[in-house]
Amino acid sequence: FRDEVESLFSGNLVLVGSALLVTALLLVSTQLVKTGEKKIPFLDAFIMGIAQAVATIPGISRSGATISTALLLKNNRSDVAKFSFLMVLLPIIGAALLDILSLSSSPAQNSIAVGSLITGFLAAYLSGYLACTWMISLVKKGYLYWFAIYCALVGIISIVFA
């Protein structure tokens, strides 16, 4: 569904803004219910996977959707934070492999320097690590409402300027 998903990224700010508001509502909803202490069972992990798939819509936060879904299913907050960030690894690795395969099939068109690729990888790794560490800390402390406020503000601004 790569082409279908990529077509959603055509600059539709109303869609993005609306989806950010949905993300904010999901995050706020976790503050309104008491979370549980159960370990993440198979069915809950499957439902989190569905939430991750829905998060391909621009503006739906992948981590926000998976974390909110798991917390609403009464899973352990600490386990949810870690699992949410681990479950993104397979799609990222799969997409990277597909991109590498498409690059290797037409090497004449690719003139990206190896140093640039390494620099980009290191920058993405470092910023991703810092973002994940920060988000896991927020989830463990129950401070998702800060992320909800951010999503709501950016969503409203996107809709207004659309």
Side-chain angles (χ1 to χ4, degrees):
F1 300 106
R2 185 178 198 152
D3 292 337
E4 290 81 3
V5 170
E6 286 180 357
S7 72
L8 295 173
F9 289 87
S10 63
N12 186 344
L13 285 179
V14 173
L15 171 66
V16 173
S18 300
L20 281 166
L21 292 175
V22 169
T23 296
L25 288 173
L26 273 172
L27 293 168
V28 167
S29 70
T30 66
Q31 302 297 310
L32 302 176
V33 297
K34 184 177 179 180
T35 60
E37 290 301 316
K38 70 177 181 175
K39 298 288 182 185
I40 302 169
F42 176 81
L43 181 60
D44 289 5
F46 181 77
I47 294 169
M48 287 174 70
I50 293 170
Q52 180 166 278
V54 169
T56 58
I57 296 170
I60 299 286
S61 165
R62 189 213 60 83
S63 59
T66 56
I67 289 168
S68 297
T69 299
L71 291 177
L72 291 170
L73 292 170
K74 309 266 191 235
N75 289 288
N76 176 279
R77 193 173 284 280
S78 181
D79 291 343
V80 163
K82 293 173 190 169
F83 186 72
S84 173
F85 289 102
L86 286 174
M87 69 186 289
V88 76
L89 293 178
L90 283 177
I92 288 175
I93 291 168
L97 286 174
L98 287 174
D99 286 345
I100 289 169
L101 290 174
S102 71
L103 287 175
S104 65
S105 67
S106 57
Q109 296 177 347
N110 303 311
S111 60
I112 301 172
V114 173
S116 296
L117 288 173
I118 292 171
T119 302
F121 171 81
L122 291 175
Y125 177 81
L126 180 63
S127 62
Y129 178 79
L130 292 173
C132 287
T133 302
W134 176 66
M135 192 65 182
I136 287 171
S137 172
L138 287 177
V139 173
K140 285 181 180 179
K141 293 175 184 173
Y143 293 159
L144 290 176
Y145 54 86
W146 290 112
F147 189 42
I149 292 169
Y150 164 77
C151 289
L153 288 174
V154 174
I156 291 166
I157 291 169
S158 297
I159 293 169
V160 167
F161 286 103

